[in-house]
Amino acid sequence: DQQVKQNSPSLSVQEGRISILNCDYTNSMFDYFLWYKKYPAEGPTFLISISSIKDKNEDGRFTVFLNKSAKHLSLHIVPSQPGDSAVYFCAASRTDSWGKLQFGAGTQVVVTP
Amino acid sequence: EPEVTQTPSHQVTQMGQEVILRCVPISNHLYFYWYRQILGQKVEFLVSFYNNEISEKSEIFDDQFSVERPDGSNFTLKIRSTKLEDSAMYFCASRDSTNTGELFFGEGSRLTVL
Protein backbone atom coordinates (compact mmCIF):
# COMPACT_ATOMS: atom_id res chain seq x y z
CA ASP A 1 0.00 0.00 0.00
CA GLN A 2 1.74 3.16 -1.20
CA GLN A 3 -0.86 5.81 -0.45
CA VAL A 4 1.55 7.72 1.78
CA LYS A 5 5.21 7.84 0.87
CA GLN A 6 8.24 9.12 2.67
CA ASN A 7 11.01 8.70 0.16
CA SER A 8 13.91 9.56 2.44
CA PRO A 9 14.58 6.75 4.89
CA SER A 10 17.12 8.84 6.75
CA LEU A 11 18.24 12.40 7.31
CA SER A 12 21.31 13.67 9.11
CA VAL A 13 21.39 17.30 10.23
CA GLN A 14 23.62 19.42 12.40
CA GLU A 15 22.35 20.76 15.68
CA GLY A 16 20.87 24.22 15.24
CA ARG A 17 20.16 23.75 11.53
CA ILE A 18 16.81 23.13 9.86
CA SER A 19 15.47 19.60 9.35
CA ILE A 20 13.08 19.23 6.42
CA LEU A 21 11.11 16.00 6.12
CA ASN A 22 8.97 15.30 3.09
CA CYS A 23 5.87 13.25 2.50
CA ASP A 24 3.75 12.56 -0.58
CA TYR A 25 0.30 11.06 -0.81
CA THR A 26 -1.73 9.71 -3.68
CA ASN A 27 -5.28 9.55 -2.33
CA SER A 28 -7.04 12.87 -2.96
CA MET A 29 -9.70 11.90 -0.40
CA PHE A 30 -7.23 12.46 2.44
CA ASP A 31 -8.06 15.75 4.14
CA TYR A 32 -6.17 15.62 7.41
CA PHE A 33 -2.48 15.03 7.90
CA LEU A 34 -0.37 14.36 10.96
CA TRP A 35 3.26 13.94 11.90
CA TYR A 36 4.32 11.53 14.59
CA LYS A 37 7.68 11.02 16.22
CA LYS A 38 8.87 7.67 17.50
CA TYR A 39 11.74 6.71 19.75
CA PRO A 40 12.91 3.08 19.95
CA ALA A 41 10.76 0.91 22.24
CA GLU A 42 8.07 3.58 22.45
CA GLY A 43 4.82 4.21 20.65
CA PRO A 44 4.41 7.03 18.13
CA THR A 45 3.91 10.46 19.71
CA PHE A 46 1.80 13.11 18.03
CA LEU A 47 3.74 16.19 16.91
CA ILE A 48 1.62 18.40 14.69
CA SER A 49 -1.26 18.18 12.25
CA ILE A 50 -2.81 20.12 9.42
CA SER A 51 -6.21 20.18 7.84
CA SER A 52 -6.53 20.33 4.07
CA ILE A 53 -8.19 23.74 4.34
CA LYS A 54 -4.87 25.19 5.48
CA ASP A 55 -1.46 25.31 3.88
CA LYS A 56 0.62 25.90 6.99
CA ASN A 57 0.48 25.12 10.67
CA GLU A 58 3.08 26.10 13.25
CA ASP A 59 3.75 24.88 16.76
CA GLY A 60 6.94 26.12 18.32
CA ARG A 61 9.91 24.72 16.44
CA PHE A 62 7.69 22.60 14.20
CA THR A 63 5.95 23.81 11.07
CA VAL A 64 3.98 21.67 8.64
CA PHE A 65 3.35 22.83 5.08
CA LEU A 66 0.72 21.34 2.83
CA ASN A 67 0.62 21.64 -0.96
CA LYS A 68 -2.66 20.05 -1.95
CA SER A 69 -2.20 20.41 -5.68
CA ALA A 70 1.09 18.54 -5.47
CA LYS A 71 -0.22 16.15 -2.81
CA HIS A 72 2.85 16.95 -0.78
CA LEU A 73 3.53 17.93 2.78
CA SER A 74 6.66 18.73 4.67
CA LEU A 75 7.72 19.11 8.26
CA HIS A 76 10.28 21.74 9.19
CA ILE A 77 12.10 21.57 12.51
CA VAL A 78 13.97 24.75 13.39
CA PRO A 79 16.38 24.71 15.13
CA SER A 80 17.12 20.99 15.28
CA GLN A 81 18.16 19.65 18.66
CA PRO A 82 19.83 16.35 19.66
CA GLY A 83 16.58 15.24 21.32
CA ASP A 84 14.90 15.42 17.92
CA SER A 85 16.79 12.31 16.82
CA ALA A 86 13.99 9.83 16.20
CA VAL A 87 11.89 8.29 13.44
CA TYR A 88 9.30 10.67 12.02
CA PHE A 89 6.13 9.31 10.46
CA CYS A 90 3.80 11.16 8.17
CA ALA A 91 0.18 10.01 8.39
CA ALA A 92 -2.96 10.84 6.46
CA SER A 93 -6.61 10.36 7.18
CA ARG A 94 -10.09 11.37 6.14
CA THR A 95 -12.28 13.45 8.41
CA ASP A 96 -15.14 11.00 7.83
CA SER A 97 -12.92 8.30 9.29
CA TRP A 98 -11.09 9.96 12.19
CA GLY A 99 -8.36 7.86 13.67
CA LYS A 100 -7.89 5.54 10.71
CA LEU A 101 -4.41 6.67 9.77
CA GLN A 102 -2.41 5.68 6.74
CA PHE A 103 1.25 5.90 7.70
CA GLY A 104 4.35 6.50 5.65
CA ALA A 105 7.41 4.33 6.12
CA GLY A 106 9.14 6.89 8.31
CA THR A 107 12.31 8.96 8.15
CA GLN A 108 15.09 8.37 10.66
CA VAL A 109 16.46 11.76 11.72
CA VAL A 110 19.86 12.01 13.36
CA VAL A 111 20.87 15.37 14.79
CA THR A 112 24.63 15.65 15.20
CA PRO A 113 26.41 18.07 17.54
CA GLU B 1 0.26 13.35 31.67
CA PRO B 2 -2.35 10.67 30.94
CA GLU B 3 -1.09 7.80 28.83
CA VAL B 4 -2.17 4.63 27.11
CA THR B 5 -0.72 1.55 28.76
CA GLN B 6 -0.27 -1.86 27.17
CA THR B 7 0.50 -5.31 28.54
CA PRO B 8 2.43 -7.44 28.04
CA SER B 9 5.39 -5.55 26.60
CA HIS B 10 6.60 -8.75 24.96
CA GLN B 11 4.92 -12.10 24.45
CA VAL B 12 6.38 -15.19 22.87
CA THR B 13 3.91 -17.86 21.78
CA GLN B 14 3.74 -21.02 19.74
CA MET B 15 1.98 -21.01 16.38
CA GLY B 16 -1.69 -21.92 16.80
CA GLN B 17 -1.96 -20.57 20.33
CA GLU B 18 -4.37 -17.86 21.38
CA VAL B 19 -3.00 -14.52 22.50
CA ILE B 20 -4.69 -11.62 24.26
CA LEU B 21 -3.08 -8.21 24.21
CA ARG B 22 -4.36 -5.72 26.72
CA CYS B 23 -4.64 -1.97 26.70
CA VAL B 24 -5.84 0.67 29.11
CA PRO B 25 -6.77 3.75 27.06
CA ILE B 26 -6.78 7.27 28.44
CA SER B 27 -9.74 7.48 30.80
CA ASN B 28 -11.90 10.11 29.11
CA HIS B 29 -11.29 8.83 25.59
CA LEU B 30 -14.13 7.21 23.69
CA TYR B 31 -12.47 5.92 20.52
CA PHE B 32 -10.04 3.03 20.54
CA TYR B 33 -7.75 1.53 17.95
CA TRP B 34 -5.29 -1.24 17.28
CA TYR B 35 -2.41 -0.83 14.88
CA ARG B 36 0.49 -3.13 14.15
CA GLN B 37 3.96 -2.81 12.72
CA ILE B 38 5.69 -5.83 11.28
CA LEU B 39 9.46 -5.47 11.52
CA GLY B 40 10.74 -3.31 8.68
CA GLN B 41 7.26 -2.38 7.48
CA LYS B 42 4.82 0.48 7.96
CA VAL B 43 2.50 0.97 10.89
CA GLU B 44 -0.85 -0.45 9.72
CA PHE B 45 -4.39 0.16 10.90
CA LEU B 46 -6.19 -2.93 12.17
CA VAL B 47 -9.45 -1.84 13.77
CA SER B 48 -11.33 1.04 15.35
CA PHE B 49 -13.85 0.67 18.18
CA TYR B 50 -16.48 3.00 19.55
CA ASN B 51 -19.56 2.59 21.70
CA ASN B 52 -18.81 -1.09 22.27
CA GLU B 53 -18.65 -2.03 18.66
CA ILE B 54 -16.23 -2.11 15.77
CA SER B 55 -16.46 1.06 13.67
CA GLU B 56 -14.08 0.03 10.95
CA LYS B 57 -11.62 -2.75 10.27
CA SER B 58 -8.92 -3.39 7.73
CA GLU B 59 -8.48 -6.39 5.46
CA ILE B 60 -5.85 -7.67 7.88
CA PHE B 61 -8.44 -7.92 10.65
CA ASP B 62 -9.91 -11.26 9.66
CA ASP B 63 -11.88 -13.79 11.68
CA GLN B 64 -8.92 -14.79 13.80
CA PHE B 65 -8.88 -11.32 15.36
CA SER B 66 -11.39 -9.90 17.81
CA VAL B 67 -11.57 -6.88 20.10
CA GLU B 68 -13.43 -6.35 23.30
CA ARG B 69 -13.93 -3.80 25.99
CA PRO B 70 -14.77 -6.16 28.83
CA ASP B 71 -15.04 -3.46 31.50
CA GLY B 72 -14.86 0.30 31.74
CA SER B 73 -11.11 0.52 31.39
CA ASN B 74 -9.58 -2.33 29.38
CA PHE B 75 -9.54 -2.76 25.63
CA THR B 76 -8.26 -6.10 24.36
CA LEU B 77 -7.11 -7.60 21.09
CA LYS B 78 -7.42 -11.37 20.82
CA ILE B 79 -5.72 -13.43 18.16
CA ARG B 80 -7.38 -16.84 18.18
CA SER B 81 -4.84 -19.03 16.43
CA THR B 82 -1.56 -17.24 15.90
CA LYS B 83 0.47 -17.61 12.72
CA LEU B 84 4.12 -16.85 12.13
CA GLU B 85 3.14 -13.75 10.15
CA ASP B 86 1.32 -12.32 13.17
CA SER B 87 4.72 -11.55 14.71
CA ALA B 88 4.73 -7.77 15.02
CA MET B 89 4.56 -4.85 17.40
CA TYR B 90 0.94 -4.15 18.25
CA PHE B 91 0.02 -0.62 19.24
CA CYS B 92 -3.14 0.39 21.02
CA ALA B 93 -4.31 3.98 20.59
CA SER B 94 -7.16 6.13 21.80
CA ARG B 95 -8.58 9.57 21.14
CA ASP B 96 -11.17 11.88 22.62
CA SER B 97 -14.33 13.12 20.96
CA THR B 98 -12.87 16.29 19.46
CA ASN B 99 -12.46 16.14 15.73
CA THR B 100 -8.72 16.40 15.49
CA GLY B 101 -7.80 12.87 14.57
CA GLU B 102 -4.91 12.97 17.05
CA LEU B 103 -4.28 9.51 18.42
CA PHE B 104 -2.45 8.74 21.63
CA PHE B 105 -0.46 5.54 21.29
CA GLY B 106 0.73 3.08 23.88
CA GLU B 107 4.29 1.78 23.93
CA GLY B 108 3.31 -1.37 22.11
CA SER B 109 3.23 -5.11 22.74
CA ARG B 110 5.77 -7.13 20.83
CA LEU B 111 4.36 -10.48 19.75
CA THR B 112 6.73 -13.20 18.62
CA VAL B 113 5.16 -16.33 17.15
CA LEU B 114 7.45 -19.36 16.93
Side-chain angles (χ1 to χ4, degrees):
Chain A
D1 186 333
Q2 293 293 315
Q3 293 190 67
V4 179
K5 295 181 200 178
Q6 291 178 257
N7 291 320
S8 298
S10 64
L11 173 70
S12 183
V13 65
Q14 266 191 318
E15 183 178 0
R17 306 293 287 264
I18 183 171
S19 294
I20 300 176
L21 290 82
N22 293 303
C23 177
D24 297 292
Y25 62 96
T26 56
N27 188 342
S28 58
M29 299 297 289
F30 288 141
D31 54 7
Y32 196 78
F33 305 90
L34 310 92
W35 284 94
Y36 279 83
K37 174 179 176 179
K38 186 180 180 304
Y39 294 115
E42 293 186 12
T45 303
F46 171 77
L47 267 181
I48 192 167
S49 62
I50 188 165
S51 162
S52 61
I53 62 173
K54 295 186 175 182
D55 55 19
K56 178 181 172 181
N57 189 26
E58 252 180 290
D59 185 0
R61 295 186 298 116
F62 302 93
T63 303
V64 56
F65 296 91
L66 175 63
N67 182 334
K68 274 179 60 179
S69 59
K71 294 191 180 70
H72 176 83
L73 61 154
S74 62
L75 174 69
H76 291 207
I77 308 173
V78 184
S80 301
Q81 299 173 353
D84 295 332
S85 296
V87 178
Y88 289 78
F89 293 101
C90 170
S93 72
R94 295 168 47 161
T95 51
D96 62 355
S97 190
W98 288 115
K100 182 183 177 184
L101 304 182
Q102 195 78 237
F103 280 89
T107 298
Q108 172 78 58
V109 171
V110 175
V111 180
T112 57
Chain B
E1 186 175 317
E3 57 181 21
V4 175
T5 56
Q6 290 185 240
T7 53
S9 56
H10 188 193
Q11 179 152 359
V12 181
T13 190
Q14 294 291 325
M15 192 169 56
Q17 295 296 302
E18 177 182 284
V19 159
I20 297 177
L21 305 179
R22 292 183 167 80
C23 170
V24 179
I26 294 173
S27 61
N28 63 336
H29 285 187
L30 301 176
Y31 299 84
F32 313 114
Y33 304 83
W34 283 100
Y35 282 77
R36 78 172 185 190
Q37 186 178 27
I38 295 171
L39 189 64
Q41 297 187 23
K42 293 183 179 183
V43 177
E44 306 172 286
F45 168 80
L46 289 179
V47 65
S48 58
F49 190 88
Y50 170 71
N51 200 25
N52 282 320
E53 59 183 30
I54 291 174
S55 312
E56 204 164 352
K57 59 184 180 179
S58 72
E59 296 157 357
I60 304 165
F61 195 89
D62 60 23
D63 291 344
Q64 68 160 342
F65 291 93
S66 62
V67 288
E68 196 176 37
R69 189 157 160 82
D71 53 41
S73 59
N74 290 286
F75 178 51
T76 63
L77 174 69
K78 183 192 288 186
I79 310 174
R80 256 179 275 284
S81 177
T82 49
K83 304 172 192 167
L84 296 176
E85 55 264 37
D86 294 328
S87 295
M89 182 70 90
Y90 288 81
F91 293 105
C92 174
S94 67
R95 70 174 179 91
D96 61 21
S97 56
T98 58
N99 288 335
T100 63
E102 175 187 341
L103 298 186
F104 290 80
F105 284 86
E107 292 192 345
S109 292
R110 178 167 297 286
L111 176 64
T112 302
V113 182
L114 302 176

